[in-house]
């Protein structure tokens, strides 16, 4: 739902700092105060004037956030056409995959330290201790 996505202005301080000098703070405050309609219009046109200074897509970008996305394990990323929300909540399958990668990594380091060739056969014993 497009109504649940909010836009906010992200100024390019590196470019604007040199150009605006002491007006930088005024422009920053004006950018924070832009309405959703004004930000949507900027997205369409690619330019806007704040405090008498013309800004373009090079000097001001837009970031998107999903309203009421309070779960710290959820991350949203998107553009004008697409929004992707990824769930990074750890679960048992992810923990098992991480453990398998860690075991494989340690075995490979031991093989390397022992000077074994990549195709050299080895025997591995493992014990699970609670």
């Amino acid at each position: 739902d497009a109504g649940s996505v909010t836009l906010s202005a992200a100024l390019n301080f590196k470019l604007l700092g040199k150009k605006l000098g002491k007006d930088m703070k005024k422009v920053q405050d004006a950018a924070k105060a832009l309405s959703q309609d004004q930000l949507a219009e900027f997205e369409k046109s690619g330019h806007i004037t704040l405090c008498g200074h013309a800004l373009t897509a090079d000097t001001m970008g837009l970031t998107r956030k999903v309203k009421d996305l309070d779960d710290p394990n959820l991350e949203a990323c998107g553009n004008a056409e697409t929004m992707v929300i990824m769930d990074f909540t750890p679960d048992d399958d992810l923990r098992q995959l991480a453990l398998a990668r860690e075991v494989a990594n340690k075995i490979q380091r031991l093989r390397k330290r022992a000077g074994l060739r990549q195709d050299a056969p080895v025997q591995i014993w493992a014990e699970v201790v609670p």
Side-chain angles (χ1 to χ4, degrees), residues 27-92:
V27 171
Q28 182 180 11
D29 292 340
K32 286 180 185 176
L34 290 172
S35 70
Q36 292 297 299
D37 290 336
Q38 290 170 312
L39 291 169
E41 180 58 34
F42 169 75
E43 184 174 44
K44 288 178 189 170
S45 68
H47 62 343
I48 193 168
T49 301
L50 298 177
C51 303
H53 298 282
L55 303 180
T56 64
D58 292 336
T59 54
M60 185 174 89
L62 295 176
T63 59
R64 287 174 166 69
K65 293 188 180 177
V66 178
K67 290 180 192 173
D68 304 324
L69 189 65
D70 298 329
D71 188 335
N73 293 315
L74 297 178
E75 287 287 329
C77 184
N79 58 24
E81 294 87 29
T82 307
M83 176 64 66
V84 176
I85 300 174
M86 297 188 69
D87 185 355
F88 292 101
T89 305
D91 64 5
D92 287 337

Side-chain angles (χ1 to χ4, degrees), residues 99 103 107 123-130:
L99 179 60
V103 168
I107 291 170
Q123 292 183 4
I124 301 170
W125 293 275
E127 181 180 344
V128 177
V129 180

